Amino acid sequence: MTPATPLSPAATVAVPVHRRVADLAATHIGPWQQGYLQDRPQAVAALARLRRGAGCEAGQTPDLWSLIDTDPLHTRPDNTRPLSEPELVRAENALHAACTLWAFHQQSRGTPMHRRHTRERPGGLGAAVRRMMPADGTDEPIRKRLVRAGTAPDLVALAQRLRDIVALLRRDDIPLDYALLAGQLYLWQWPDGPGTVRRAWGRSFHEQRQPRPAPDENTTPDSE
């Protein structure tokens, strides 16, 4: 029997751009969230700066350029081509939107508002919206907010409509996977992206059918 030949570095699969955006969002938000919950002055100040950028274009908030580090998007991991200018712009826009929405969500909350998605505890936008509704029915005004977000004409309008949804999630202490959202916001900006993301939100909505669970007892911001 011939032994299997090890895969060469060239045979490895490159990480998709939307996954890189999601990972970078988690890398940023995790420490900010942990520091904020521990009342560390630097994290509290960062959250205040980020919150002011929620619903705005990345280019409109130069104060955040030094805070949201996009350098990893400009580096070239092994076996990964450099990102094109359109990819970089979309990635930076998505990262800005996700981080600032998280800051708005986390404000004055004593539990983590960013929680990674798992099969057992869905963390997508649709699932989070569904958790605001009765277990045995649908809250039509809230559902319409999700539909309205899904029909946004561009990323700026989408971020503003998501801010309205996040305000409701914040009110009810319902967390969201902001890394997952960041990757989706990247995909949204491409020609076929809105349809893909809407379908993902719809699946997420139907994943969450159980009554609203007890408040999270996460030990770390990115715990699985």
PDB file of all heavy atoms in Angstrom, residues 60-73:
ATOM      1  N   GLN A  60     -16.296  58.547   7.292  1.00  0.00           N
ATOM      2  CA  GLN A  60     -16.824  59.706   8.003  1.00  0.00           C
ATOM      3  C   GLN A  60     -16.306  59.795   9.434  1.00  0.00           C
ATOM      4  O   GLN A  60     -16.574  60.788  10.115  1.00  0.00           O
ATOM      5  CB  GLN A  60     -18.361  59.658   8.036  1.00  0.00           C
ATOM      6  CG  GLN A  60     -19.016  59.825   6.682  1.00  0.00           C
ATOM      7  CD  GLN A  60     -20.531  59.738   6.770  1.00  0.00           C
ATOM      8  OE1 GLN A  60     -21.085  59.106   7.660  1.00  0.00           O
ATOM      9  NE2 GLN A  60     -21.206  60.393   5.843  1.00  0.00           N
ATOM     10  N   THR A  61     -15.604  58.777   9.904  1.00  0.00           N
ATOM     11  CA  THR A  61     -15.175  58.744  11.299  1.00  0.00           C
ATOM     12  C   THR A  61     -13.664  58.518  11.378  1.00  0.00           C
ATOM     13  O   THR A  61     -13.209  57.447  11.771  1.00  0.00           O
ATOM     14  CB  THR A  61     -15.914  57.638  12.068  1.00  0.00           C
ATOM     15  OG1 THR A  61     -15.780  56.400  11.340  1.00  0.00           O
ATOM     16  CG2 THR A  61     -17.383  57.969  12.226  1.00  0.00           C
ATOM     17  N   PRO A  62     -12.857  59.534  11.010  1.00  0.00           N
ATOM     18  CA  PRO A  62     -11.399  59.369  11.050  1.00  0.00           C
ATOM     19  C   PRO A  62     -10.867  59.062  12.440  1.00  0.00           C
ATOM     20  O   PRO A  62      -9.772  58.504  12.570  1.00  0.00           O
ATOM     21  CB  PRO A  62     -10.879  60.717  10.528  1.00  0.00           C
ATOM     22  CG  PRO A  62     -12.020  61.674  10.652  1.00  0.00           C
ATOM     23  CD  PRO A  62     -13.256  60.856  10.496  1.00  0.00           C
ATOM     24  N   ASP A  63     -11.634  59.396  13.480  1.00  0.00           N
ATOM     25  CA  ASP A  63     -11.205  59.099  14.842  1.00  0.00           C
ATOM     26  C   ASP A  63     -11.035  57.596  15.060  1.00  0.00           C
ATOM     27  O   ASP A  63     -10.294  57.168  15.947  1.00  0.00           O
ATOM     28  CB  ASP A  63     -12.240  59.653  15.836  1.00  0.00           C
ATOM     29  CG  ASP A  63     -11.865  59.350  17.279  1.00  0.00           C
ATOM     30  OD1 ASP A  63     -10.733  59.678  17.671  1.00  0.00           O
ATOM     31  OD2 ASP A  63     -12.701  58.778  18.003  1.00  0.00           O
ATOM     32  N   LEU A  64     -11.703  56.792  14.235  1.00  0.00           N
ATOM     33  CA  LEU A  64     -11.653  55.341  14.420  1.00  0.00           C
ATOM     34  C   LEU A  64     -10.591  54.672  13.558  1.00  0.00           C
ATOM     35  O   LEU A  64     -10.361  53.472  13.698  1.00  0.00           O
ATOM     36  CB  LEU A  64     -13.029  54.723  14.110  1.00  0.00           C
ATOM     37  CG  LEU A  64     -14.195  55.230  14.953  1.00  0.00           C
ATOM     38  CD1 LEU A  64     -15.469  54.457  14.604  1.00  0.00           C
ATOM     39  CD2 LEU A  64     -13.895  55.098  16.436  1.00  0.00           C
ATOM     40  N   TRP A  65      -9.953  55.422  12.676  1.00  0.00           N
ATOM     41  CA  TRP A  65      -8.985  54.804  11.777  1.00  0.00           C
ATOM     42  C   TRP A  65      -7.836  54.162  12.541  1.00  0.00           C
ATOM     43  O   TRP A  65      -7.316  53.115  12.145  1.00  0.00           O
ATOM     44  CB  TRP A  65      -8.448  55.837  10.792  1.00  0.00           C
ATOM     45  CG  TRP A  65      -9.485  56.352   9.841  1.00  0.00           C
ATOM     46  CD1 TRP A  65     -10.750  55.862   9.639  1.00  0.00           C
ATOM     47  CD2 TRP A  65      -9.357  57.478   8.964  1.00  0.00           C
ATOM     48  NE1 TRP A  65     -11.425  56.605   8.703  1.00  0.00           N
ATOM     49  CE2 TRP A  65     -10.598  57.609   8.268  1.00  0.00           C
ATOM     50  CE3 TRP A  65      -8.345  58.388   8.706  1.00  0.00           C
ATOM     51  CZ2 TRP A  65     -10.817  58.618   7.325  1.00  0.00           C
ATOM     52  CZ3 TRP A  65      -8.562  59.389   7.762  1.00  0.00           C
ATOM     53  CH2 TRP A  65      -9.787  59.498   7.083  1.00  0.00           C
ATOM     54  N   SER A  66      -7.427  54.789  13.637  1.00  0.00           N
ATOM     55  CA  SER A  66      -6.330  54.225  14.422  1.00  0.00           C
ATOM     56  C   SER A  66      -6.803  53.186  15.434  1.00  0.00           C
ATOM     57  O   SER A  66      -5.988  52.463  16.008  1.00  0.00           O
ATOM     58  CB  SER A  66      -5.582  55.348  15.164  1.00  0.00           C
ATOM     59  OG  SER A  66      -6.458  56.001  16.078  1.00  0.00           O
ATOM     60  N   LEU A  67      -8.113  53.120  15.645  1.00  0.00           N
ATOM     61  CA  LEU A  67      -8.659  52.196  16.636  1.00  0.00           C
ATOM     62  C   LEU A  67      -8.991  50.843  16.020  1.00  0.00           C
ATOM     63  O   LEU A  67      -8.698  49.792  16.591  1.00  0.00           O
ATOM     64  CB  LEU A  67      -9.909  52.805  17.285  1.00  0.00           C
ATOM     65  CG  LEU A  67     -10.536  52.023  18.447  1.00  0.00           C
ATOM     66  CD1 LEU A  67      -9.538  51.859  19.590  1.00  0.00           C
ATOM     67  CD2 LEU A  67     -11.788  52.754  18.945  1.00  0.00           C
ATOM     68  N   ILE A  68      -9.623  50.857  14.846  1.00  0.00           N
ATOM     69  CA  ILE A  68      -9.962  49.617  14.149  1.00  0.00           C
ATOM     70  C   ILE A  68      -8.805  49.282  13.214  1.00  0.00           C
ATOM     71  O   ILE A  68      -8.707  49.808  12.103  1.00  0.00           O
ATOM     72  CB  ILE A  68     -11.287  49.752  13.368  1.00  0.00           C
ATOM     73  CG1 ILE A  68     -12.425  50.167  14.309  1.00  0.00           C
ATOM     74  CG2 ILE A  68     -11.634  48.443  12.678  1.00  0.00           C
ATOM     75  CD1 ILE A  68     -13.754  50.408  13.601  1.00  0.00           C
ATOM     76  N   ASP A  69      -7.918  48.435  13.667  1.00  0.00           N
ATOM     77  CA  ASP A  69      -6.694  48.112  12.932  1.00  0.00           C
ATOM     78  C   ASP A  69      -7.013  47.193  11.755  1.00  0.00           C
ATOM     79  O   ASP A  69      -7.421  46.044  11.940  1.00  0.00           O
ATOM     80  CB  ASP A  69      -5.694  47.443  13.875  1.00  0.00           C
ATOM     81  CG  ASP A  69      -4.378  47.126  13.193  1.00  0.00           C
ATOM     82  OD1 ASP A  69      -4.151  47.617  12.070  1.00  0.00           O
ATOM     83  OD2 ASP A  69      -3.581  46.371  13.787  1.00  0.00           O
ATOM     84  N   THR A  70      -6.826  47.708  10.546  1.00  0.00           N
ATOM     85  CA  THR A  70      -7.087  46.904   9.351  1.00  0.00           C
ATOM     86  C   THR A  70      -5.799  46.384   8.714  1.00  0.00           C
ATOM     87  O   THR A  70      -5.842  45.804   7.627  1.00  0.00           O
ATOM     88  CB  THR A  70      -7.873  47.727   8.309  1.00  0.00           C
ATOM     89  OG1 THR A  70      -7.081  48.870   7.931  1.00  0.00           O
ATOM     90  CG2 THR A  70      -9.208  48.198   8.867  1.00  0.00           C
ATOM     91  N   ASP A  71      -4.662  46.581   9.382  1.00  0.00           N
ATOM     92  CA  ASP A  71      -3.390  46.117   8.810  1.00  0.00           C
ATOM     93  C   ASP A  71      -3.401  44.635   8.424  1.00  0.00           C
ATOM     94  O   ASP A  71      -2.836  44.266   7.383  1.00  0.00           O
ATOM     95  CB  ASP A  71      -2.243  46.385   9.788  1.00  0.00           C
ATOM     96  CG  ASP A  71      -1.824  47.843   9.778  1.00  0.00           C
ATOM     97  OD1 ASP A  71      -2.333  48.607   8.924  1.00  0.00           O
ATOM     98  OD2 ASP A  71      -1.010  48.238  10.637  1.00  0.00           O
ATOM     99  N   PRO A  72      -4.026  43.735   9.237  1.00  0.00           N
ATOM    100  CA  PRO A  72      -4.029  42.319   8.844  1.00  0.00           C
ATOM    101  C   PRO A  72      -4.678  42.067   7.482  1.00  0.00           C
ATOM    102  O   PRO A  72      -4.378  41.061   6.837  1.00  0.00           O
ATOM    103  CB  PRO A  72      -4.828  41.648   9.969  1.00  0.00           C
ATOM    104  CG  PRO A  72      -4.595  42.521  11.162  1.00  0.00           C
ATOM    105  CD  PRO A  72      -4.575  43.914  10.601  1.00  0.00           C
ATOM    106  N   LEU A  73      -5.558  42.964   7.042  1.00  0.00           N
ATOM    107  CA  LEU A  73      -6.168  42.790   5.728  1.00  0.00           C
ATOM    108  C   LEU A  73      -5.180  43.109   4.609  1.00  0.00           C
ATOM    109  O   LEU A  73      -5.369  42.679   3.468  1.00  0.00           O
ATOM    110  CB  LEU A  73      -7.395  43.704   5.591  1.00  0.00           C
ATOM    111  CG  LEU A  73      -8.558  43.409   6.535  1.00  0.00           C
ATOM    112  CD1 LEU A  73      -9.624  44.496   6.401  1.00  0.00           C
ATOM    113  CD2 LEU A  73      -9.161  42.040   6.262  1.00  0.00           C
TER     114      LEU A  73
END
